[in-house]
Amino acid sequence: QLLGLSIATLSTVTHYGLRFTLISNVSLDSNSYRVIHNTAFYFGICLSMTLILAALLSSAATVRESQCLTAMGFFCFALAFCGLVPAACWRYTHSTEVEDSMMDVYDFVYEEVRRNTSSFRRHELTAIHEAFLCCGKHSPFGDTTNVEHKTCPPGQVHDEGQDCLGEIQDFLKKHMDFVFSLLGIAIGFMVYGMILTSFLWFSIHFNSNLYRKGKYILR
């Protein structure tokens, strides 16, 4: 149950966190970040509910010595395991896709402000700078000092190295490493849960047969 609540908390923080919400609201339909953002939230909530249900069923099966509840608990653990393994594989094979899509969103907003100084985009860029505590980026298209003076929070100096692309990448790397570690722990607990529920099912089954052995009904 604690693991399920941890995953639910992490999913909620990731979905409704200020930095993630800002990027999701700004991203275009052609960018994959919004899809990843929503999919991760719903996957995390479903996974946490499955883990909590599996824990409750296993506890009830142990108290009542019910083979049916034990089998249902095993099914929930197996279902969570089948969802966790592809998620971990996706994270391993697409290790930079989330970071790249998030930085693409920032690039798009920044270049929009640099080209036409749209007030709407300038407001979005200012919000991103304030959320990530960074200031601008190193652009190959020339001087960007004007953009940074209008959108950077007070006290942030671009020349000191507060490059937003680097800040976004570092932030996401730490966050995704934590998510990957939690996925690894969850997979380990799923394997342990399946082994434990299997052992419990066989124990209840054989104990039930031994309890009935030697008893006869006279007619």
Side-chain angles (χ1 to χ4, degrees):
Q1 291 182 358
L2 183 61
L3 182 61
L5 291 175
S6 301
I7 294 176
T9 303
L10 179 63
S11 301
T12 304
V13 170
T14 302
H15 189 263
Y16 294 104
L18 175 61
R19 296 179 175 182
F20 297 103
T21 304
L22 275 175
I23 299 297
S24 179
N25 292 337
V26 174
S27 63
L28 300 176
D29 294 336
S30 57
N31 189 285
S32 61
Y33 177 78
R34 187 176 297 177
V35 176
I36 297 173
H37 182 76
N38 293 328
T39 302
F41 172 71
Y42 292 119
F43 174 79
I45 295 299
C46 292
L47 178 62
S48 64
M49 293 175 62
T50 304
L51 291 178
I52 293 173
L53 180 61
L56 292 175
L57 288 173
S58 300
S59 300
T62 304
V63 174
R64 297 188 178 186
E65 296 186 357
S66 170
Q67 290 180 264
C68 180
L69 291 176
T70 306
M72 292 173 64
F74 176 86
F75 175 76
C76 289
F77 280 121
L79 185 65
F81 179 81
C82 291
L84 282 168
V85 171
C89 292
W90 183 90
R91 170 57 187 163
Y92 181 77
T93 56
H94 299 75
S95 58
T96 62
E97 183 169 342
V98 181
E99 291 90 336
D100 291 343
S101 62
M102 202 167 187
M103 288 189 292
D104 286 343
V105 173
Y106 178 80
D107 271 331
F108 167 75
V109 177
Y110 188 92
E111 294 304 323
E112 282 287 307
V113 174
R114 189 187 66 83
R115 284 196 297 264
N116 53 31
T117 61
S118 168
S119 60
F120 179 71
R121 293 299 182 188
R122 187 166 62 246
H123 176 73
E124 293 176 341
L125 187 61
T126 303
I128 294 174
H129 286 164
E130 291 176 352
F132 285 92
L133 298 178
C134 58
C135 181
K137 67 170 187 174
H138 299 290
S139 176
F141 298 103
D143 185 27
T144 58
T145 306
N146 188 39
V147 175
E148 291 158 8
H149 279 316
K150 291 181 178 179
T151 59
C152 290
Q156 291 291 334
V157 181
H158 176 65
D159 294 335
E160 292 182 356
Q162 295 292 335
D163 180 58
C164 276
L165 293 179
E167 289 293 321
I168 292 173
Q169 189 174 24
D170 291 342
F171 166 75
L172 271 180
K173 187 177 184 303
K174 293 177 182 178
H175 185 81
M176 295 305 294
D177 286 343
F178 180 76
V179 171
F180 192 69
S181 300
L182 189 61
L183 285 178
I185 295 172
I187 289 174
F189 271 98
M190 292 309 97
V191 174
Y192 174 76
M194 287 189 292
I195 294 174
L196 189 62
T197 50
S198 299
F199 176 78
L200 180 62
W201 189 90
F202 283 109
S203 297
I204 295 173
H205 177 74
F206 288 117
N207 284 340
S208 179
N209 288 342
L210 289 174
Y211 178 75
R212 291 186 179 91
K213 187 175 182 180
K215 290 192 175 183
Y216 304 94
I217 299 176
L218 296 178
R219 294 183 178 178

